[in-house]
Amino acid sequence: MRLKLNALDGSAARTGVAVLALGVALLVWLSGIGAAIDRAVEPLRFSLWPRNPSGQLVIVELDAASAAAIKRWPWPRDHYAAAVDRLREAGAASIVFDVDFSSPATADGDAAFAAALARADGLVALPTFAQQATARDRRSIDNLPLPALREHVALASVSIAPDPDGTVRSAPFATITGGMPRPSLSAYIAGMSGQADRSFPIDYSIDAQRIPRLSFIDVRNGRFDPALVKGRQVLVGATAIEMGDRYATPRFGVLPGVVVQALAAETLIAGMPVALSEPLALALALLLALPVLRSTSTPRCLAYALAAPLLLILAAMMLQGLGQLTLPIGGPVALLLTAASGRLGLRIRQRFETQKLADAQTDLPNRTAMLLADNGDKAAPLAVLQITNFESLLAVLGAEAEASLVLRIAERARFFAQEGQVYRVADRLLAFRLSAAVEDSEAMSGMRTLMLQPVEVLGRRVDAAIALGIVDGEAATGLAQAALAAEQAAAAGVFWRRFDGDQAALSDQVSLMGELDSAIASGRIRVFYQPKMAIASGRITSCEALVRWDHEIRGLLGPDLFIGLAEQTDRIAPLTLCVIEQVLHDLARWHAAGLQITAAVNISARLLASEDFNDRLCALLARGIAPSTALVFEVTESAALADSAAAAETLVGYRQLGIAISIDDYGTGQSTLSYLRQLPVSELKIDRSFVQNAHLVANDAVLVRSTVQMAHELGLKVVAEGVETEECLAFLREIGCDLAQGYLISRPIPAEPFQALLAGDGRRAAA
């Protein structure tokens, strides 16, 4: 079950991101950054959607060839007169000049030009423009054609104002010169009217190279195809570099002024261009940001965050190419990027918060989540469920089964949890508030029945050993107490136990672990030996080493008081090595006395995969205290049959050192004898739970008899532990069991009495 942090994912947080994004966009717009962004992407905007010119306009260019032919500047105006006559005769729809005629040239040339304009009778438009008086005097002076040239012509403004960066991006519809509003040259050609000093964006997606051009000198001399001019607007202007009149443009770099005028005219011929307002663009960006802001999935949020700016830019390109609409994108893109960054930031923060409150493997809420959610609740009992054979199950199933195992058990626990909420507070621990007081009730019995049923994990049914601890109180202190109660229940072999509040006993356990290291170092760890008797001969041929702690204050402590704690606190390795060293010294002494016997030592499942333990073991055996062939390592069935390759390799390594391997507690796990054949096992120990009543209970008798028979067929010896009566021993003798261990033979005794027992007749101890 995933945790959802609504405070980080609610509408208020999303609204906050939207307000922040709008604020950033307004700042970008008002500061001019948005305009700078728009200018930066203009070349791309125009290049991605190129368009051809209308074909209605022809440029007659005052080019280098014409300048070379006429050989003087300014040109005498009889050249222009000849060109006007040729164009009029060819059927031009109009003839528009982008050439300054505001000052006299030669008298004959001016008269010839005036006569040609009169013959054209309104077909020609001459330019007007305004210019700064001097470098220091910033007043504007209007320039009009000579009075003699105005009578039969129209006047059009050729004034173009570059932006502050020197680039021409727009042209006016009209300007006021000489106190009169004049249409701009481009508006005149396109036949479109407009308000004075109101501009329109020039469409630089039009390919300037495709506008038809004629050289002025060819037109003057009549060396051109009249079909290129007939019915078209003719624009006459300078393109030669030496004549100046050049402007920077967004797409084409520096262009002659006449070409810029032609592009402006082509823009209006295609239709009225419109520059959309920034507020309208921001509103569109907000609409595109809605999917980003409303997304509750990080992948979808990221996808929307990438798609929204691309959609906006694509929309700007399409509007530019199809509808002559210029959409500003600087502020809107800033809005979208801010919205995306803010939303993704919230999602990432939410993910981090969720990870802090969820178990990484199972996604169950963790200990921190429980402490936050508990809020000092004491109304319902707090329960901690322990999977007591957690490591053994993982050894058999593999580490990849951990999540599935925990989730299957958590599903069952939800039936008994308040609102079905279960927390994973440690690897093997689940915690929850009980939905009702279930102690000593049918509900507790039902819970036990359900929890102890086999669990299916990755297609395999296994038995999970469950112990439950219960405490009244808040989670902050109750979790540790309930976990301790679960540990006590597991040790006592019962399903559940309530925490009894015995702090003295708890303190004793804690202090024991603090004292164990010094006990090992000071030699207060003792080894007792329980004999194994060869049933056929009645003689003792082996023994099992059992650890005791000779505590300075509490006296002799049995293993049940400290072995489990030693495993939990990672002290089992030094404790086991201490026992093995004592056993080796005792074996050396017995062998020196002529008593040939082997001794078995229990090896914890935790140690099989411990490289450090095995290295230290090899170093101990290398000292040659006693032959390693006199050692037997007893390993529990579940540990020996782990799917871990490292554990199997370790057993093989022990066998190569000469140490025999015995499978302890056989019959309590999931293995078969045929599977054991794949491991270097030489001995089986049948668990006491099957042996004690085998002579009385038919099912137990069948299991013990069949195990002995199959083990012998595999070349294995069989040890029956828990032998306490003569009748049980007789049954074992009858079925051919090899060795017997139990109180009937002898209780565990120290090394000296055990040696005395061996030195006698080597038979069972006195009752």
Side-chain angles (χ1 to χ4, degrees):
M1 176 172 57
R2 289 192 176 274
L3 296 174
K4 291 187 178 179
L5 305 180
N6 295 325
L8 293 178
D9 199 36
S11 58
R14 292 194 290 269
T15 301
V17 171
V19 171
L20 174 64
L22 185 57
V24 170
L26 290 173
L27 179 63
V28 168
W29 172 31
L30 297 175
S31 66
I33 297 175
I37 295 173
D38 286 328
R39 290 194 294 270
V41 301
E42 275 178 337
L44 178 64
R45 186 200 296 255
F46 292 126
S47 299
L48 287 179
W49 210 290
R51 295 198 299 119
N52 290 322
S54 65
Q56 299 178 30
L57 178 65
V58 177
I59 296 176
V60 173
E61 52 183 338
L62 282 61
D63 56 4
S66 301
I70 297 174
K71 294 186 171 66
R72 59 180 292 189
W73 183 260
W75 293 346
R77 290 182 178 141
D78 54 342
H79 295 287
Y80 297 115
V84 167
D85 287 339
R86 298 286 186 273
L87 293 171
R88 176 177 54 80
E89 292 167 359
S94 68
I95 305 168
V96 183
F97 279 89
D98 183 14
V99 180
D100 182 12
F101 297 116
S102 62
S103 58
T106 64
D108 292 343
D110 289 349
F113 189 37
L117 295 176
R119 287 190 295 273
D121 193 22
L123 188 66
V124 178
L126 297 182
T128 70
F129 59 94
Q131 66 180 8
Q132 187 174 317
T134 66
R136 295 184 178 181
D137 187 352
R138 303 189 66 82
R139 290 177 299 170
S140 178
I141 296 178
D142 295 334
N143 292 273
L144 301 175
L146 294 172
L149 304 178
R150 299 181 202 168
E151 184 177 356
H152 298 286
V153 300
L155 298 181
S157 171
V158 294
S159 296
I160 291 180
D163 288 343
D165 64 350
T167 302
V168 175
R169 295 182 175 85
S170 61
F173 284 104
T175 61
I176 295 176
T177 54
M180 295 286 294
R182 316 280 185 186
S184 67
L185 186 150
S186 52
Y188 178 83
I189 293 174
M192 188 174 291
S193 61
Q195 183 178 344
D197 296 323
R198 180 167 171 261
S199 300
F200 64 91
I202 300 174
D203 185 2
Y204 285 101
S205 64
I206 299 170
D207 190 347
Q209 300 300 321
R210 291 180 175 271
I211 299 176
R213 300 189 188 192
L214 295 172
S215 176
F216 179 86
I217 196 65
D218 290 338
V219 171
R220 189 203 70 174
N221 295 333
R223 296 195 305 265
F224 68 96
D225 184 358
L228 296 175
V229 172
K230 185 176 182 179
R232 296 183 177 180
Q233 315 289 330
V234 178
L235 177 58
V236 183
T239 61
I241 295 177
E242 58 268 27
M243 295 181 183
D245 190 30
R246 305 181 78 80
Y247 297 94
T249 63
R251 177 185 176 193
F252 300 108
V254 177
L255 289 178
V258 68
V259 178
V260 176
Q261 296 283 7
L263 288 172
E266 287 284 358
T267 300
L268 293 179
I269 290 172
M272 177 68 76
V274 177
L276 299 177
S277 68
E278 190 81 21
L280 182 61
L282 293 180
L284 175 61
L286 275 176
L287 288 176
L288 290 173
L290 284 179
V292 178
L293 295 172
R294 298 178 63 181
S295 173
T296 57
S297 163
T298 300
R300 283 199 300 271
C301 181
L302 184 59
Y304 293 150
L306 295 174
L310 293 177
L311 285 174
L312 179 69
I313 294 172
L314 180 61
M317 301 300 174
M318 293 183 66
L319 290 172
Q320 179 86 32
L322 298 178
Q324 292 265 80
L325 298 174
T326 301
L327 177 69
I329 61 175
V333 167
L335 184 149
L336 290 172
L337 292 178
T338 304
S341 300
R343 189 70 186 97
L344 284 171
L346 285 179
R347 293 293 306 163
I348 292 171
R349 182 184 171 194
Q350 179 192 6
R351 181 62 181 169
F352 284 154
E353 293 295 329
T354 301
Q355 288 176 342
K356 287 198 305 185
L357 300 178
D359 175 60
Q361 289 180 304
T362 63
D363 229 10
L364 289 171
N366 60 16
R367 180 189 184 91
T368 303
M370 183 173 197
L371 293 177
L372 287 174
D374 196 62
N375 197 25
D377 184 15
K378 298 181 181 180
L382 175 66
V384 169
L385 182 152
Q386 180 190 94
I387 309 171
T388 61
N389 60 340
F390 185 72
E391 286 80 8
S392 297
L393 289 174
L394 293 188
V396 173
L397 298 172
E400 66 276 7
E402 179 175 347
S404 179
L405 171 66
V406 174
L407 287 172
R408 297 291 82 76
I409 294 174
E411 287 173 359
R412 296 180 178 183
R414 287 195 182 104
F415 287 106
F416 308 94
Q418 276 189 346
E419 301 179 356
Q421 187 63 69
V422 177
Y423 303 83
R424 190 183 189 190
V425 296
D427 285 349
R428 58 165 67 191
L429 299 181
L430 299 174
F432 52 94
R433 289 282 178 183
L434 290 171
S435 57
V438 296
E439 303 165 68
D440 299 321
S441 67
E442 292 183 5
M444 179 59 78
S445 176
M447 183 178 183
R448 180 183 184 279
T449 300
L450 177 62
M451 298 306 301
L452 295 183
Q453 288 182 3
V455 180
E456 184 169 325
V457 179
L458 302 182
R460 184 172 180 178
R461 290 173 63 84
V462 295
D463 291 316
I466 303 297
L468 196 71
I470 299 174
V471 69
D472 290 322
E474 59 186 35
T477 57
L479 280 174
Q481 295 170 341
L484 177 60
E487 188 75 34
Q488 293 170 343
V494 297
F495 176 65
W496 72 282
R497 177 166 287 181
R498 168 175 282 279
F499 178 70
D500 58 11
D502 187 355
Q503 293 296 328
L506 179 59
S507 177
D508 286 347
Q509 290 184 344
V510 173
S511 63
L512 277 178
M513 285 302 96
E515 298 169 358
L516 181 56
D517 291 338
S518 61
I520 295 173
S522 61
R524 302 199 70 88
I525 299 301
R526 304 281 188 260
V527 178
F528 280 37
Y529 297 93
Q530 186 170 29
K532 296 180 183 179
M533 184 187 75
I535 297 176
S537 66
R539 300 188 63 84
I540 296 169
T541 59
S542 184
C543 61
E544 179 180 0
L546 302 170
V547 66
R548 301 289 188 268
W549 181 351
D550 186 9
H551 196 275
E552 293 179 346
I553 299 174
R554 306 179 193 181
L556 202 62
L557 302 179
D560 55 316
L561 293 178
F562 60 91
I563 288 293
L565 293 173
E567 288 187 325
Q568 295 172 22
T569 56
D570 290 329
R571 289 178 170 86
I572 192 64
L575 179 61
T576 303
L577 289 167
C578 176
V579 170
I580 293 173
E581 184 173 3
Q582 288 193 42
V583 169
L584 288 172
H585 282 291
D586 289 338
L587 284 170
R589 188 170 62 255
W590 298 336
H591 290 178
L595 305 172
Q596 298 303 314
I597 193 170
T598 60
V601 179
N602 288 283
I603 301 297
S604 169
R606 290 173 177 263
L607 300 180
L608 289 181
S610 173
E611 185 175 346
D612 177 67
F613 169 78
N614 290 313
D615 288 344
R616 292 167 66 186
L617 172 65
C618 290
L620 176 60
L621 295 176
R623 290 163 56 186
I625 299 171
S628 57
T629 53
L631 280 178
V632 179
F633 279 178
E634 292 190 358
V635 182
T636 59
E637 181 182 358
S638 59
L641 296 177
D643 288 342
S644 167
E649 183 179 349
T650 299
L651 293 179
V652 172
Y654 292 159
R655 198 70 190 91
Q656 290 173 347
L657 291 172
I659 302 170
I661 305 299
S662 175
I663 298 300
D664 198 10
D665 301 334
Y666 180 79
T668 60
Q670 307 290 324
S671 65
T672 63
L673 282 173
S674 59
Y675 188 76
L676 287 174
R677 189 177 184 181
Q678 303 173 31
L679 298 172
V681 176
S682 57
E683 180 181 279
L684 289 184
K685 286 187 71 175
I686 304 177
D687 187 71
R688 68 176 61 249
S689 61
F690 301 105
V691 172
Q692 287 177 325
N693 297 310
H695 59 292
L696 300 174
V697 179
N699 288 340
D700 290 351
V702 170
L703 185 144
V704 174
R705 181 182 287 107
S706 61
T707 299
V708 170
Q709 181 179 352
M710 294 181 65
H712 285 168
E713 291 176 358
L714 295 174
L716 304 179
K717 290 183 179 180
V718 181
V719 180
E721 61 178 346
V723 180
E724 298 180 356
T725 65
E726 290 288 352
E727 292 79 7
C728 179
L729 181 60
F731 169 76
L732 295 172
R733 184 179 295 110
E734 176 188 343
I735 64 172
C737 185
D738 301 291
L739 298 166
Q741 179 182 349
Y743 285 179
L744 179 64
I745 313 303
S746 173
R747 292 176 177 272
I749 54 179
E752 291 76 10
F754 182 72
Q755 182 174 351
L757 177 63
L758 294 176
D761 61 0
R763 299 181 182 274
R764 69 176 83 169

